[in-house]
Amino acid sequence: MKAYQYRLGGSMKDLSIVERAPPRPGPGQVLVRMRAASLNYRDILVVTGKYPRAQQDSIIPLSDGAGEITELGAGVTGFSVGDRVAALFFQSWTRGEMRDRDSHTALGGSIDGVAAQYCVFSADSTLRIPEHMSFEEGATLPCAALTAWNGVTGPRAVRSGDTVLTLGTGGVSIFALQLAKSAGASVIVTSSSDEKLARARKLGADDAINYVTTPDWHVAVRGLTGGRGVDHVIETAGGGTMERSIASTRRGGFIHVIGLVAPGQFDPVHILLGGVTLRGTEGGSLEMFASMNRAMAQAKIKPVIDRVFAFEALPAALDYLQTGRHFGKIVVTIA
Amino acid sequence: MKAYQYRLGGSMKDLSIVERAPPRPGPGQVLVRMRAASLNYRDILVVTGKYPRAQQDSIIPLSDGAGEITELGAGVTGFSVGDRVAALFFQSWTRGEMRDRDSHTALGGSIDGVAAQYCVFSADSTLRIPEHMSFEEGATLPCAALTAWNGVTGPRAVRSGDTVLTLGTGGVSIFALQLAKSAGASVIVTSSSDEKLARARKLGADDAINYVTTPDWHVAVRGLTGGRGVDHVIETAGGGTMERSIASTRRGGFIHVIGLVAPGQFDPVHILLGGVTLRGTEGGSLEMFASMNRAMAQAKIKPVIDRVFAFEALPAALDYLQTGRHFGKIVVTIA
Amino acid sequence: MKAYQYRLGGSMKDLSIVERAPPRPGPGQVLVRMRAASLNYRDILVVTGKYPRAQQDSIIPLSDGAGEITELGAGVTGFSVGDRVAALFFQSWTRGEMRDRDSHTALGGSIDGVAAQYCVFSADSTLRIPEHMSFEEGATLPCAALTAWNGVTGPRAVRSGDTVLTLGTGGVSIFALQLAKSAGASVIVTSSSDEKLARARKLGADDAINYVTTPDWHVAVRGLTGGRGVDHVIETAGGGTMERSIASTRRGGFIHVIGLVAPGQFDPVHILLGGVTLRGTEGGSLEMFASMNRAMAQAKIKPVIDRVFAFEALPAALDYLQTGRHFGKIVVTIA
Amino acid sequence: MKAYQYRLGGSMKDLSIVERAPPRPGPGQVLVRMRAASLNYRDILVVTGKYPRAQQDSIIPLSDGAGEITELGAGVTGFSVGDRVAALFFQSWTRGEMRDRDSHTALGGSIDGVAAQYCVFSADSTLRIPEHMSFEEGATLPCAALTAWNGVTGPRAVRSGDTVLTLGTGGVSIFALQLAKSAGASVIVTSSSDEKLARARKLGADDAINYVTTPDWHVAVRGLTGGRGVDHVIETAGGGTMERSIASTRRGGFIHVIGLVAPGQFDPVHILLGGVTLRGTEGGSLEMFASMNRAMAQAKIKPVIDRVFAFEALPAALDYLQTGRHFGKIVVTIA
C-alpha cells in the first residue's frame, strides 16, 4: 500500500510516499481502507520536528481520517465489513478523563497515523461517522471537531443564551461556531479578513470582529455583550491573545486553551482579577466522540471543508495550511 | 385597587374580588401595576387549602404575573418607571442555591400574590421581561418556565444531541420542550391526546407518544433512542409514572422531579438498578431567571398560551386548569 | 481446584464445593490465587435466585476477593507475580461513568465469581490492594467499600465540616463512616442496637441514634444538625426508610441510594418539597478504586471485619449475614 | 473613635490614626466594636496605591477583622448584642457566584475597612466566628482563610487521598495546609526556609521542599507523588512560579490562582500540554464562610498567628509583612 512517511528533524520536503505492506488486524482490531484525511496545525509541528510529543524516527503522519472497514480481527463485535468509520486521535482514550499515558497514543505523532491506504485500529478506539457525512467530512472530526466539542461541553457546558467567542476561522473555531450555535448560544467570531467574517456570519455567527481594524477587540466584545463579557472563549491562538481573551470573558467564565498558533506569554494576575477559569483542552474520548456525533446528526451539521487535495499533494496541502488562508478544514482524499 | 382573596380551608368558590388600598413601595422596592397573571396547578392546591406551605389565613393568590413599574422606592437603581417586569416566585431566592427559608417567601402562598392591580416587590426580586414578549407572555415565566429552565440547565445541563422526555403538555412540559429544542436536544413528548401531540410536534417535538394507546410508553421511549434511554426526564406527573420514567432513562441520566399531578408511590430499588439521579426542582433564582431570559431572547421563544381569561373570570380559569384540557399556559389579564 | 457453585432457582443449601480445572490466563489477563473473599447482601439474592441480573445457570458465587498473582498472561505489564491484588466488581467498568453493558460483567452474578482457589481477571480490571491491609481486609473492598466511596466522592464530594448520615452498621455503612471521617465530616449513625452504636462511636461516629427507641430518628437528626439537616445520606436500607431519610436531609443535599435490605415504597413529592437529590450508586470504576486506595492508605483505614469463616463454611457465613447481627464485613478465607 | 486613614498615591508613611465620629447602624445593619484585624499582602498594595480596585481618595484600610456587636439596626434578626462576629471581604457577595459588581464592595479598598474602633456592616454580610477562636484568630478568616477554603472546596473539592501543593508559608498557604489536612489530603509545602518547613510539618504537612536548595522543586513534587503529580496547587505566588506549578500537577488537576507576590509571565501552551485547569480565586461568599466555619469547628482548626501588634503599630506590622519573614498571619489588636 501507499503511505506517507516523515523523518524527525527533517523538513516538510522530507515527507514522501513509500510503499509498505498493509497492516493486518489482530484480535480486537479492525482493518480500515482509508478514504480521506484532514490536516491540523499540529501536523506541521510534527512533520517539522517541533511537536513535543513526537517520539519516533520515522512514522506515518496525520491523525484524522475516515474510511471503511474491510476486515474484522478476531473477537470484534459491533462492527461489520463496510462500516464507514473514523478512529480516535488518542487511541487509548476511550472513556472518562484523559490520562498522561493516553497522551502517548496519538495517531500521526506518537504512533503511525492515517496518511496511508490501510490502517488498523482497536475496535474500542473506532466509531461510525454520522450517516449524513461523506468520508471527507468524517475525516475532519477526530481532532478539530472533538476538541471543539470538548470545550463546548466541558465542565460547564454551553447553554442556550450563552455567548461564545471564537478566535479566527480555522478548523476548531468553525466547529466551535457550529456546535455552539446548535446549543442555542450567541457566537462572536474574530478574523483578520472581512471576507472570512462574512462567511462565518453565513454559518450562523451573530457578531463578527476584524481584529486588524479593531485591535482592541476585547472592548468590542464587552460592548456586544452589554458589558457582561462572554461565557466561553475557544482560545485557539495562544499567549499572544490571552490577555484580551481574559478581558473579554465574564467573571466565572471559561477559556478553553487549545491553540498553538500565536505563542506568547501573559501574567496570571489577569486570571485572578478576572475571576476566570482556563482549561487545557485537547481531543476527547470515544464516549465524547459518540455524543458529538449524536449532536451533529441531530443538528445536521456539515463540516466546513475549505479545499480538498489529492493524496499526492499532501505537502502542498500542508503548505496551504501554513499560509492561514483557509476557512475551516483542509482535506486530502486517499484513492 | 381590586384584588382576589381566598380563605384557607375554603373552596374555589370562596375566591372573591375585594377592594384593598394599593400597597406603597418602601426603600428598595418597586410598585408594579400588574397587567397579567398566569395559573399553575399549585394555585388550585393553595386555594383549596391543600398546599403544604400555605400558612396564612387570607391572602392574595397567584404567583406569576407581569406588569409595569409605576413608582420606585427610595434607593432603587437599575429600574425606571415604565419598565415591563415580572417578579420571583420565591421572593428571597436571588442567587446561589435555594435555602429552606426561601421556600417561605413564595408569592400567592406564603405571602400575598399577584392577583391584584398593584403589587410591591423588592427590586432585588424583580427583573425585566424579554422585549419580544407581551405582558400575557411575560406573566407565564416566574414559576413554570423557570422550573423548566432549572431542570434543563441543572447540575448536568441539556446539551445538543441529548434526548429529553417530557410528560404531558402542561405549562412546565411545553416550556421544557421549547427550551430543550433551543439547546439542540431531541425531544419526546407524551400525552393522552393525539391532537395535543400534533401541536407538540408543530412546536418542534421530534417524537410523540400517546400514553393511553401506548401504555408501555417506556418501551417505546427506549425504542426511539436505539435502546439507549433518554438523558433527561421532566417529570411533571409524580409517583404514578415514576417507574416508567426511570425505565425510560439511560444509566447516568437525570429525572427532574417537578410535578404533583399524578400522586403515587414507587420502590427506590429502581433508582439503584437504573443508575439514575432524581432531583427535586422548583422555581429558580433571579440569576437563573436572567439567564433564561437571555436564552428566550436568543431563540425568540414565545410562551404558548392556551387561553386568556378576564380578571373577573379567575375562578373559571382555575376550573379550566383543573380539567387538564389545556395545552401550555392559562392567563388572566388584569385591566 | 476447589470452587463453589450455585444453581439458579435453588436455595442456599444447593451451594456446594466442586472440583474444577483451574483457569488459564489469556492475553492481557492475570491468574490469581485467591486468599480471601468477603460477603455482600447481594450474594444471598444471587444464590437464592432473587438477583435481577443473574443470568447463568450455574456459576461460581461471590464478587469480592483478594489474592496474589501467580501468572501473567501474554502482554501484561505493570504487574508482577506475587502482587497482592483485588479485582473489579463490574469487570468492564475501568474508567468514566458506568454503562449499561458494564452491569452485565459483575463477578459472581453475571459471570464466574471469586469463591474459588484460582481466578483469571483482565489486568485492566485488577489493582493492588493497599500495603497496610491483609488479604482478608483487601477482600472487603471491591463492592462494599467502593460503593461507599462512590457515594462519599460522588457528584458533590463530602467536604470537611459536612454531616453524613449512615443507616445501619453493615459493610457499606461502616466504610462510609470511615471514609466520611477521613474527609473531615461529622457522621451520624443509626442502628437498632446500642452495642453497635457504641462500636460505631469508637470508630469515630460523632452521634448515634437507636432507631428502635427513637422511631422518629429524622427529627433527632434535624436536632443534631441545628435544624439544618445532613448533607449526605448513605441510604443502604431502601424504600422503607426513604421518607425519613429525605426529612433528615438539607435542601440541596444528596441521598445515595444503595440498599436493598428494607424494601418499600414512597411518594416522590417528598423529593420535590425537600429539594433533595437521590442518586443510584453501585460499585465504582478502577480509577475510583485506585483513588479510594490512596485515601485508605493516607488515612490508614482498616476495614472492619466482624468475623472470618473457613472456605468450607461459606453457607454458614451467608446464614450469619442474613441474621443481620454483624457489624462491618464477613469474610471467608481461601486456603 | 480612632481609625486609620491612608492617602491614595501616598506611601506607607502616610498612614495615620485620625479621630472620626463612630458610624451609626442603619436598617438591616449591625454596629461592631472591632477587637482585632489581620493583614494581607493586598493591604500593602492598597496603602501604596498599587491595588487596581482602590477607588477612593482617603479611606480606612484593612479588610479582615473581628469584634462584637454593640447595636442592631432596625429590622435585624438573627443577631444579638454581644455576638462575636466577622464581616465579608466582598460585602455584597452573600451567595452564589461572585459578580463583577461584588468586586467593588471590598472592605479597605473600595469602601472603608476595619482598621477602626467601630464599623457598621450589613447583617447579611456578617456572621459569627467559631466559638473556639479568639478575636485575633477570628480576624484572620475573611480574606486569607476564605480564599484558601474557596480553592480547597472549589469546582472539584479536595478529597481524602488527594495531594495538595502549597507555595510558601503565608496566610493563605497555611490555611490551605490546615483545611486540606482536615479533608484527608496529603500536603506538600514549599518554602525558602528550613525552619518554616519544619513548622509546616508540625502543622501536618506530609512533605516539605526548600525551593532554594531544590530549585527544580516540580521534579521533586513529581517524585513525591510517584510520578503522578498533585491534584491541586494553591498558587499564591504568581507568574514567576507558574510553569513549575503546572509541571507539578497531574493531568486534570487544578491550580488555584491566588497570589500576587511573584509577578511574572508564562506561555499558556503549558496549560494545553499539561491538561490542567487554572482558576482565579479570591475570597468567598457568606455561604462559603459559614461552611468553612463548620469545617474549622469540626476539625478544631486554630489559625496560625505569627505575631500580634498593637493598633498603633500597624505601619510596623505592614513593614513586617513586607519582609516575608512571617509564618501564617499577622494581627493587630484594637483596644
Side-chain angles (χ1 to χ4, degrees), chain D residues 32 76 86 116 163 172 194 233 291:
Chain D
V32 178
V76 171
T163 302
V172 175
D194 285 341
V233 181
S291 66

Side-chain angles (χ1 to χ4, degrees), chain A residues 92 95-97 99 102 287, chain C residues 92-93 95-97 99 102:
Chain A
S92 67
R95 309 163 72 175
E97 291 188 13
R99 304 166 299 190
D102 295 325
E287 288 198 339
Chain C
S92 67
W93 189 9
R95 311 163 72 175
E97 291 190 13
R99 303 165 299 189
D102 295 324

